[in-house]
Amino acid sequence: MADNITRLAVFCSGTGSNFRALHEAIHERELPAEIVLCVSNRPQCGAFEFAEEKGVETLHLSERQFGSFEEFEEAMLRALKARGIGLVLLAGYMRKVPDAVVAAYADRILNVHPALLPKFGGEGMYGIRVHTAVIAAGESESGATVHLVNKEYDKGRILLQRTVPVLPGDTPESLAGRVLACEHLLYPDALEQLLAGEP
Ligand code: GRF
């Protein structure tokens, strides 16, 4: 494989629709990157099904498999290093990335959040709760954010954001669908920007 190809790991917990969007965009846009590993805290998930379909290695990693948290984070770090992973993309990963991994991959872990950070972020602000809070706050727009991951939930540097309107009569579910479609466009754009060395 050419030296300029960045080896990517995606971390997922669910359906993996962002993983799909990223995988597709990498091929369509001929980005200098390849997703070589899909990590999940769940042994069975849509993301793993997609990975298997595309020949991407899957790795189930959960704290429960280890005697201590330290062993878990060491195993995660070893797995990434052993595969020469250059960039980690969190795509619907519902766990906090261990601090040792965040430290080893400083500025090389990205996350997509389904709101316009810094609003509607932080611990406990995930999934449908985010959209419920946005509607309850009477916001006229929401959107998606791709940001770098640091030790605090949703606090790393923002790389890219894109807005969607909150429409009259929106339910958390209808807003979630609009935001998810936005994430699928935004995440590949942010990846492309990062790979091009843009800030
Ligand atoms: C997305 O809204 C993402 O922001 C969140 O999980 C949702 C779905 O993820 N954290 P996916 O369909 O598994 O990519």
Side-chain angles (χ1 to χ4, degrees), residues 8-29 31 34-35 37-38 44-56 58 89-93 112 180-181 183-189 191:
L8 308 173
V10 289
F11 281 33
C12 306
S13 299
T15 57
S17 68
N18 276 293
F19 171 21
R20 285 166 199 259
L22 287 161
H23 190 276
E24 228 171 79
I26 287 166
H27 288 91
E28 277 172 10
R29 303 183 191 187
L31 301 184
E34 186 183 351
I35 299 172
L37 180 67
C38 176
Q44 282 168 332
C45 56
F48 271 4
E49 281 169 29
F50 179 71
E52 277 154 24
E53 222 174 86
K54 295 294 175 188
V56 173
T58 59
L89 306 173
L90 308 185
Y93 184 61
V112 64
L180 189 61
E183 290 176 44
H184 295 163
L185 302 172
L186 185 76
Y187 214 170
D189 285 352
L191 175 64

Side-chain angles (χ1 to χ4, degrees), residues 147-162:
H147 64 95
L148 295 173
V149 171
N150 63 16
K151 288 181 186 175
E152 278 182 279
Y153 273 111
D154 302 330
K155 290 278 173 63
R157 184 164 69 81
I158 292 172
L159 295 180
L160 217 53
Q161 290 184 305
R162 190 172 172 132

